[in-house]
mmCIF file with all atom_site columns, all heavy atoms in Angstrom:
data_model
loop_
_atom_site.group_PDB
_atom_site.id
_atom_site.type_symbol
_atom_site.label_atom_id
_atom_site.label_alt_id
_atom_site.label_comp_id
_atom_site.label_asym_id
_atom_site.label_entity_id
_atom_site.label_seq_id
_atom_site.pdbx_PDB_ins_code
_atom_site.Cartn_x
_atom_site.Cartn_y
_atom_site.Cartn_z
_atom_site.occupancy
_atom_site.B_iso_or_equiv
_atom_site.pdbx_formal_charge
_atom_site.auth_seq_id
_atom_site.auth_comp_id
_atom_site.auth_asym_id
_atom_site.auth_atom_id
_atom_site.pdbx_PDB_model_num
ATOM   1   N N   . THR A 1 29  ? -22.215 -0.121  -1.389  1.00 0.00 ? 200 THR A N   1
ATOM   2   C CA  . THR A 1 29  ? -20.876 -0.501  -1.194  1.00 0.00 ? 200 THR A CA  1
ATOM   3   C C   . THR A 1 29  ? -20.359 0.143   0.106   1.00 0.00 ? 200 THR A C   1
ATOM   4   O O   . THR A 1 29  ? -21.061 0.833   0.849   1.00 0.00 ? 200 THR A O   1
ATOM   5   C CB  . THR A 1 29  ? -19.990 -0.132  -2.420  1.00 0.00 ? 200 THR A CB  1
ATOM   6   O OG1 . THR A 1 29  ? -18.695 -0.724  -2.357  1.00 0.00 ? 200 THR A OG1 1
ATOM   7   C CG2 . THR A 1 29  ? -19.846 1.364   -2.583  1.00 0.00 ? 200 THR A CG2 1
ATOM   8   N N   . TRP A 1 33  ? -15.168 -2.371  2.030   1.00 0.00 ? 204 TRP A N   1
ATOM   9   C CA  . TRP A 1 33  ? -15.204 -3.424  0.905   1.00 0.00 ? 204 TRP A CA  1
ATOM   10  C C   . TRP A 1 33  ? -14.160 -3.060  -0.169  1.00 0.00 ? 204 TRP A C   1
ATOM   11  O O   . TRP A 1 33  ? -13.321 -3.821  -0.713  1.00 0.00 ? 204 TRP A O   1
ATOM   12  C CB  . TRP A 1 33  ? -16.552 -3.551  0.373   1.00 0.00 ? 204 TRP A CB  1
ATOM   13  C CG  . TRP A 1 33  ? -16.737 -4.804  -0.480  1.00 0.00 ? 204 TRP A CG  1
ATOM   14  C CD1 . TRP A 1 33  ? -17.275 -6.015  -0.180  1.00 0.00 ? 204 TRP A CD1 1
ATOM   15  C CD2 . TRP A 1 33  ? -16.243 -4.908  -1.900  1.00 0.00 ? 204 TRP A CD2 1
ATOM   16  N NE1 . TRP A 1 33  ? -17.167 -6.850  -1.212  1.00 0.00 ? 204 TRP A NE1 1
ATOM   17  C CE2 . TRP A 1 33  ? -16.612 -6.253  -2.263  1.00 0.00 ? 204 TRP A CE2 1
ATOM   18  C CE3 . TRP A 1 33  ? -15.797 -3.985  -2.802  1.00 0.00 ? 204 TRP A CE3 1
ATOM   19  C CZ2 . TRP A 1 33  ? -16.420 -6.805  -3.548  1.00 0.00 ? 204 TRP A CZ2 1
ATOM   20  C CZ3 . TRP A 1 33  ? -15.477 -4.572  -4.149  1.00 0.00 ? 204 TRP A CZ3 1
ATOM   21  C CH2 . TRP A 1 33  ? -15.792 -5.829  -4.428  1.00 0.00 ? 204 TRP A CH2 1
ATOM   22  N N   . CYS A 1 114 ? -5.526  -0.876  -20.983 1.00 0.00 ? 285 CYS A N   1
ATOM   23  C CA  . CYS A 1 114 ? -4.621  -0.525  -19.844 1.00 0.00 ? 285 CYS A CA  1
ATOM   24  C C   . CYS A 1 114 ? -3.133  -0.895  -20.193 1.00 0.00 ? 285 CYS A C   1
ATOM   25  O O   . CYS A 1 114 ? -2.327  -0.435  -19.436 1.00 0.00 ? 285 CYS A O   1
ATOM   26  C CB  . CYS A 1 114 ? -5.086  -1.191  -18.505 1.00 0.00 ? 285 CYS A CB  1
ATOM   27  S SG  . CYS A 1 114 ? -6.794  -0.904  -18.183 1.00 0.00 ? 285 CYS A SG  1
ATOM   28  N N   . ARG A 1 156 ? -22.091 -1.836  -9.162  1.00 0.00 ? 327 ARG A N   1
ATOM   29  C CA  . ARG A 1 156 ? -21.021 -1.773  -8.019  1.00 0.00 ? 327 ARG A CA  1
ATOM   30  C C   . ARG A 1 156 ? -19.832 -2.546  -8.300  1.00 0.00 ? 327 ARG A C   1
ATOM   31  O O   . ARG A 1 156 ? -18.648 -2.378  -7.788  1.00 0.00 ? 327 ARG A O   1
ATOM   32  C CB  . ARG A 1 156 ? -21.619 -2.084  -6.568  1.00 0.00 ? 327 ARG A CB  1
ATOM   33  C CG  . ARG A 1 156 ? -22.075 -3.530  -6.443  1.00 0.00 ? 327 ARG A CG  1
ATOM   34  C CD  . ARG A 1 156 ? -22.569 -3.881  -5.025  1.00 0.00 ? 327 ARG A CD  1
ATOM   35  N NE  . ARG A 1 156 ? -22.883 -5.195  -4.941  1.00 0.00 ? 327 ARG A NE  1
ATOM   36  C CZ  . ARG A 1 156 ? -23.238 -5.747  -3.772  1.00 0.00 ? 327 ARG A CZ  1
ATOM   37  N NH1 . ARG A 1 156 ? -23.283 -5.057  -2.689  1.00 0.00 ? 327 ARG A NH1 1
ATOM   38  N NH2 . ARG A 1 156 ? -23.450 -7.018  -3.751  1.00 0.00 ? 327 ARG A NH2 1
ATOM   39  N N   . ASN A 1 157 ? -19.969 -3.622  -9.216  1.00 0.00 ? 328 ASN A N   1
ATOM   40  C CA  . ASN A 1 157 ? -18.879 -4.387  -9.543  1.00 0.00 ? 328 ASN A CA  1
ATOM   41  C C   . ASN A 1 157 ? -17.725 -3.633  -10.328 1.00 0.00 ? 328 ASN A C   1
ATOM   42  O O   . ASN A 1 157 ? -16.565 -3.967  -10.314 1.00 0.00 ? 328 ASN A O   1
ATOM   43  C CB  . ASN A 1 157 ? -19.313 -5.578  -10.391 1.00 0.00 ? 328 ASN A CB  1
ATOM   44  C CG  . ASN A 1 157 ? -20.083 -6.613  -9.701  1.00 0.00 ? 328 ASN A CG  1
ATOM   45  O OD1 . ASN A 1 157 ? -19.604 -7.237  -8.757  1.00 0.00 ? 328 ASN A OD1 1
ATOM   46  N ND2 . ASN A 1 157 ? -21.420 -6.689  -10.041 1.00 0.00 ? 328 ASN A ND2 1
ATOM   47  N N   . MET A 1 207 ? -17.117 -6.219  -16.635 1.00 0.00 ? 378 MET A N   1
ATOM   48  C CA  . MET A 1 207 ? -15.947 -6.989  -16.430 1.00 0.00 ? 378 MET A CA  1
ATOM   49  C C   . MET A 1 207 ? -16.202 -8.186  -15.606 1.00 0.00 ? 378 MET A C   1
ATOM   50  O O   . MET A 1 207 ? -16.982 -8.273  -14.631 1.00 0.00 ? 378 MET A O   1
ATOM   51  C CB  . MET A 1 207 ? -14.963 -6.113  -15.596 1.00 0.00 ? 378 MET A CB  1
ATOM   52  C CG  . MET A 1 207 ? -13.597 -6.775  -15.265 1.00 0.00 ? 378 MET A CG  1
ATOM   53  S SD  . MET A 1 207 ? -12.474 -5.580  -14.432 1.00 0.00 ? 378 MET A SD  1
ATOM   54  C CE  . MET A 1 207 ? -13.404 -5.242  -12.955 1.00 0.00 ? 378 MET A CE  1
ATOM   55  N N   . GLY A 1 209 ? -14.461 -9.851  -12.961 1.00 0.00 ? 380 GLY A N   1
ATOM   56  C CA  . GLY A 1 209 ? -13.336 -9.460  -12.132 1.00 0.00 ? 380 GLY A CA  1
ATOM   57  C C   . GLY A 1 209 ? -12.386 -10.616 -11.748 1.00 0.00 ? 380 GLY A C   1
ATOM   58  O O   . GLY A 1 209 ? -11.169 -10.460 -11.715 1.00 0.00 ? 380 GLY A O   1
ATOM   59  N N   . LYS A 1 210 ? -12.962 -11.664 -11.418 1.00 0.00 ? 381 LYS A N   1
ATOM   60  C CA  . LYS A 1 210 ? -12.166 -12.879 -11.071 1.00 0.00 ? 381 LYS A CA  1
ATOM   61  C C   . LYS A 1 210 ? -11.289 -13.322 -12.097 1.00 0.00 ? 381 LYS A C   1
ATOM   62  O O   . LYS A 1 210 ? -10.110 -13.666 -11.916 1.00 0.00 ? 381 LYS A O   1
ATOM   63  C CB  . LYS A 1 210 ? -13.121 -13.961 -10.453 1.00 0.00 ? 381 LYS A CB  1
ATOM   64  C CG  . LYS A 1 210 ? -13.654 -13.793 -9.091  1.00 0.00 ? 381 LYS A CG  1
ATOM   65  C CD  . LYS A 1 210 ? -14.063 -15.111 -8.469  1.00 0.00 ? 381 LYS A CD  1
ATOM   66  C CE  . LYS A 1 210 ? -14.943 -14.907 -7.279  1.00 0.00 ? 381 LYS A CE  1
ATOM   67  N NZ  . LYS A 1 210 ? -14.243 -14.097 -6.296  1.00 0.00 ? 381 LYS A NZ  1
ATOM   68  N N   . VAL A 1 212 ? -10.145 -11.501 -14.669 1.00 0.00 ? 383 VAL A N   1
ATOM   69  C CA  . VAL A 1 212 ? -9.138  -10.539 -14.857 1.00 0.00 ? 383 VAL A CA  1
ATOM   70  C C   . VAL A 1 212 ? -8.091  -10.681 -13.737 1.00 0.00 ? 383 VAL A C   1
ATOM   71  O O   . VAL A 1 212 ? -6.839  -10.563 -14.162 1.00 0.00 ? 383 VAL A O   1
ATOM   72  C CB  . VAL A 1 212 ? -9.742  -9.165  -14.878 1.00 0.00 ? 383 VAL A CB  1
ATOM   73  C CG1 . VAL A 1 212 ? -8.642  -8.065  -15.005 1.00 0.00 ? 383 VAL A CG1 1
ATOM   74  C CG2 . VAL A 1 212 ? -10.668 -8.982  -16.044 1.00 0.00 ? 383 VAL A CG2 1
ATOM   75  N N   . HIS A 1 244 ? 0.691   -1.248  -13.905 1.00 0.00 ? 415 HIS A N   1
ATOM   76  C CA  . HIS A 1 244 ? -0.621  -0.680  -14.114 1.00 0.00 ? 415 HIS A CA  1
ATOM   77  C C   . HIS A 1 244 ? -1.331  -0.698  -12.761 1.00 0.00 ? 415 HIS A C   1
ATOM   78  O O   . HIS A 1 244 ? -1.394  -1.766  -12.097 1.00 0.00 ? 415 HIS A O   1
ATOM   79  C CB  . HIS A 1 244 ? -1.384  -1.481  -15.114 1.00 0.00 ? 415 HIS A CB  1
ATOM   80  C CG  . HIS A 1 244 ? -2.830  -1.106  -15.281 1.00 0.00 ? 415 HIS A CG  1
ATOM   81  N ND1 . HIS A 1 244 ? -3.361  0.203   -15.202 1.00 0.00 ? 415 HIS A ND1 1
ATOM   82  C CD2 . HIS A 1 244 ? -3.948  -1.876  -15.282 1.00 0.00 ? 415 HIS A CD2 1
ATOM   83  C CE1 . HIS A 1 244 ? -4.579  0.193   -15.224 1.00 0.00 ? 415 HIS A CE1 1
ATOM   84  N NE2 . HIS A 1 244 ? -5.082  -1.056  -15.194 1.00 0.00 ? 415 HIS A NE2 1
ATOM   85  N N   . ALA A 1 246 ? -4.184  -1.115  -11.173 1.00 0.00 ? 417 ALA A N   1
ATOM   86  C CA  . ALA A 1 246 ? -5.565  -1.524  -11.144 1.00 0.00 ? 417 ALA A CA  1
ATOM   87  C C   . ALA A 1 246 ? -5.852  -1.852  -9.675  1.00 0.00 ? 417 ALA A C   1
ATOM   88  O O   . ALA A 1 246 ? -7.069  -1.584  -9.241  1.00 0.00 ? 417 ALA A O   1
ATOM   89  C CB  . ALA A 1 246 ? -5.752  -2.740  -12.026 1.00 0.00 ? 417 ALA A CB  1
ATOM   90  N N   . ASN A 1 247 ? -5.037  -2.440  -8.948  1.00 0.00 ? 418 ASN A N   1
ATOM   91  C CA  . ASN A 1 247 ? -5.520  -3.129  -7.759  1.00 0.00 ? 418 ASN A CA  1
ATOM   92  C C   . ASN A 1 247 ? -4.186  -3.490  -6.924  1.00 0.00 ? 418 ASN A C   1
ATOM   93  O O   . ASN A 1 247 ? -3.264  -4.093  -7.307  1.00 0.00 ? 418 ASN A O   1
ATOM   94  C CB  . ASN A 1 247 ? -6.236  -4.447  -8.189  1.00 0.00 ? 418 ASN A CB  1
ATOM   95  C CG  . ASN A 1 247 ? -6.717  -5.245  -6.981  1.00 0.00 ? 418 ASN A CG  1
ATOM   96  O OD1 . ASN A 1 247 ? -6.097  -5.393  -5.989  1.00 0.00 ? 418 ASN A OD1 1
ATOM   97  N ND2 . ASN A 1 247 ? -8.047  -5.626  -7.112  1.00 0.00 ? 418 ASN A ND2 1
ATOM   98  N N   . ASN A 1 274 ? -8.183  2.972   -10.914 1.00 0.00 ? 445 ASN A N   1
ATOM   99  C CA  . ASN A 1 274 ? -7.652  2.412   -12.132 1.00 0.00 ? 445 ASN A CA  1
ATOM   100 C C   . ASN A 1 274 ? -7.944  3.471   -13.290 1.00 0.00 ? 445 ASN A C   1
ATOM   101 O O   . ASN A 1 274 ? -9.108  3.710   -13.601 1.00 0.00 ? 445 ASN A O   1
ATOM   102 C CB  . ASN A 1 274 ? -8.362  1.071   -12.487 1.00 0.00 ? 445 ASN A CB  1
ATOM   103 C CG  . ASN A 1 274 ? -7.877  0.491   -13.703 1.00 0.00 ? 445 ASN A CG  1
ATOM   104 O OD1 . ASN A 1 274 ? -7.295  1.114   -14.570 1.00 0.00 ? 445 ASN A OD1 1
ATOM   105 N ND2 . ASN A 1 274 ? -8.238  -0.817  -13.913 1.00 0.00 ? 445 ASN A ND2 1
ATOM   106 N N   . PHE A 1 304 ? -1.511  -4.292  -18.179 1.00 0.00 ? 475 PHE A N   1
ATOM   107 C CA  . PHE A 1 304 ? -2.361  -5.400  -18.614 1.00 0.00 ? 475 PHE A CA  1
ATOM   108 C C   . PHE A 1 304 ? -3.779  -4.932  -18.534 1.00 0.00 ? 475 PHE A C   1
ATOM   109 O O   . PHE A 1 304 ? -4.074  -4.026  -17.870 1.00 0.00 ? 475 PHE A O   1
ATOM   110 C CB  . PHE A 1 304 ? -2.184  -6.615  -17.556 1.00 0.00 ? 475 PHE A CB  1
ATOM   111 C CG  . PHE A 1 304 ? -2.748  -6.211  -16.207 1.00 0.00 ? 475 PHE A CG  1
ATOM   112 C CD1 . PHE A 1 304 ? -4.003  -6.441  -15.747 1.00 0.00 ? 475 PHE A CD1 1
ATOM   113 C CD2 . PHE A 1 304 ? -1.820  -5.608  -15.350 1.00 0.00 ? 475 PHE A CD2 1
ATOM   114 C CE1 . PHE A 1 304 ? -4.427  -6.025  -14.499 1.00 0.00 ? 475 PHE A CE1 1
ATOM   115 C CE2 . PHE A 1 304 ? -2.289  -5.206  -14.047 1.00 0.00 ? 475 PHE A CE2 1
ATOM   116 C CZ  . PHE A 1 304 ? -3.595  -5.407  -13.651 1.00 0.00 ? 475 PHE A CZ  1
HETATM 117 N N1  . LIG B 2 .   ? -19.190 -3.295  -2.854  1.00 0.00 ? 71  LIG B N1  1
HETATM 118 C C1  . LIG B 2 .   ? -19.676 -4.266  -2.019  1.00 0.00 ? 71  LIG B C1  1
HETATM 119 N N2  . LIG B 2 .   ? -19.887 -5.527  -2.583  1.00 0.00 ? 71  LIG B N2  1
HETATM 120 C C2  . LIG B 2 .   ? -19.528 -5.646  -3.778  1.00 0.00 ? 71  LIG B C2  1
HETATM 121 C C3  . LIG B 2 .   ? -19.036 -4.726  -4.653  1.00 0.00 ? 71  LIG B C3  1
HETATM 122 C C4  . LIG B 2 .   ? -18.772 -3.433  -4.084  1.00 0.00 ? 71  LIG B C4  1
HETATM 123 N N3  . LIG B 2 .   ? -18.266 -2.467  -4.818  1.00 0.00 ? 71  LIG B N3  1
HETATM 124 N N4  . LIG B 2 .   ? -18.650 -5.219  -5.827  1.00 0.00 ? 71  LIG B N4  1
HETATM 125 C C5  . LIG B 2 .   ? -19.024 -6.522  -5.777  1.00 0.00 ? 71  LIG B C5  1
HETATM 126 N N5  . LIG B 2 .   ? -19.575 -6.832  -4.640  1.00 0.00 ? 71  LIG B N5  1
HETATM 127 C C6  . LIG B 2 .   ? -20.069 -8.107  -4.123  1.00 0.00 ? 71  LIG B C6  1
HETATM 128 C C7  . LIG B 2 .   ? -20.596 -9.009  -5.230  1.00 0.00 ? 71  LIG B C7  1
HETATM 129 O O1  . LIG B 2 .   ? -21.882 -8.642  -5.639  1.00 0.00 ? 71  LIG B O1  1
HETATM 130 C C8  . LIG B 2 .   ? -20.464 -10.296 -4.588  1.00 0.00 ? 71  LIG B C8  1
HETATM 131 O O2  . LIG B 2 .   ? -21.609 -10.529 -3.749  1.00 0.00 ? 71  LIG B O2  1
HETATM 132 P P1  . LIG B 2 .   ? -22.427 -11.943 -3.669  1.00 0.00 ? 71  LIG B P1  1
HETATM 133 O O3  . LIG B 2 .   ? -21.321 -12.937 -3.153  1.00 0.00 ? 71  LIG B O3  1
HETATM 134 O O4  . LIG B 2 .   ? -23.496 -11.692 -2.782  1.00 0.00 ? 71  LIG B O4  1
HETATM 135 O O5  . LIG B 2 .   ? -22.698 -12.310 -5.083  1.00 0.00 ? 71  LIG B O5  1
HETATM 136 C C9  . LIG B 2 .   ? -19.192 -10.303 -3.701  1.00 0.00 ? 71  LIG B C9  1
HETATM 137 O O6  . LIG B 2 .   ? -19.018 -8.826  -3.501  1.00 0.00 ? 71  LIG B O6  1
HETATM 138 C C10 . LIG B 2 .   ? -18.086 -10.869 -4.204  1.00 0.00 ? 71  LIG B C10 1
HETATM 139 O O7  . LIG B 2 .   ? -17.843 -10.481 -5.498  1.00 0.00 ? 71  LIG B O7  1
HETATM 140 P P2  . LIG B 2 .   ? -16.649 -10.940 -6.380  1.00 0.00 ? 71  LIG B P2  1
HETATM 141 O O8  . LIG B 2 .   ? -16.726 -10.457 -7.849  1.00 0.00 ? 71  LIG B O8  1
HETATM 142 O O9  . LIG B 2 .   ? -16.398 -12.391 -6.224  1.00 0.00 ? 71  LIG B O9  1
HETATM 143 O O10 . LIG B 2 .   ? -15.515 -10.170 -5.572  1.00 0.00 ? 71  LIG B O10 1
HETATM 144 P P3  . LIG B 2 .   ? -13.983 -10.289 -5.723  1.00 0.00 ? 71  LIG B P3  1
HETATM 145 O O11 . LIG B 2 .   ? -13.429 -10.762 -4.343  1.00 0.00 ? 71  LIG B O11 1
HETATM 146 O O12 . LIG B 2 .   ? -13.581 -11.145 -6.872  1.00 0.00 ? 71  LIG B O12 1
HETATM 147 O O13 . LIG B 2 .   ? -13.489 -8.840  -5.859  1.00 0.00 ? 71  LIG B O13 1
HETATM 148 C C11 . LIG B 2 .   ? -12.736 -7.449  -7.655  1.00 0.00 ? 71  LIG B C11 1
HETATM 149 C C12 . LIG B 2 .   ? -13.899 -8.143  -7.046  1.00 0.00 ? 71  LIG B C12 1
HETATM 150 C C13 . LIG B 2 .   ? -13.268 -6.658  -8.901  1.00 0.00 ? 71  LIG B C13 1
HETATM 151 C C14 . LIG B 2 .   ? -12.239 -6.385  -6.661  1.00 0.00 ? 71  LIG B C14 1
HETATM 152 C C15 . LIG B 2 .   ? -11.667 -8.494  -7.904  1.00 0.00 ? 71  LIG B C15 1
HETATM 153 O O14 . LIG B 2 .   ? -12.308 -9.462  -8.730  1.00 0.00 ? 71  LIG B O14 1
HETATM 154 C C16 . LIG B 2 .   ? -10.572 -7.817  -8.843  1.00 0.00 ? 71  LIG B C16 1
HETATM 155 O O15 . LIG B 2 .   ? -9.813  -6.991  -8.334  1.00 0.00 ? 71  LIG B O15 1
HETATM 156 N N6  . LIG B 2 .   ? -10.392 -8.207  -10.028 1.00 0.00 ? 71  LIG B N6  1
HETATM 157 C C17 . LIG B 2 .   ? -9.456  -7.609  -10.959 1.00 0.00 ? 71  LIG B C17 1
HETATM 158 C C18 . LIG B 2 .   ? -10.131 -6.374  -11.571 1.00 0.00 ? 71  LIG B C18 1
HETATM 159 C C19 . LIG B 2 .   ? -9.203  -5.420  -12.331 1.00 0.00 ? 71  LIG B C19 1
HETATM 160 O O16 . LIG B 2 .   ? -8.089  -5.238  -11.836 1.00 0.00 ? 71  LIG B O16 1
HETATM 161 N N7  . LIG B 2 .   ? -9.672  -4.972  -13.489 1.00 0.00 ? 71  LIG B N7  1
HETATM 162 C C20 . LIG B 2 .   ? -8.943  -4.030  -14.184 1.00 0.00 ? 71  LIG B C20 1
HETATM 163 C C21 . LIG B 2 .   ? -8.037  -4.681  -15.080 1.00 0.00 ? 71  LIG B C21 1
HETATM 164 S S1  . LIG B 2 .   ? -7.354  -3.583  -16.148 1.00 0.00 ? 71  LIG B S1  1
#
Side-chain angles (χ1 to χ4, degrees):
T200 191
W204 193 97
C285 309
R327 67 179 182 173
N328 291 293
M378 182 176 63
K381 280 199 193 308
V383 176
H415 168 45
N418 183 313
N445 178 346
F475 63 92

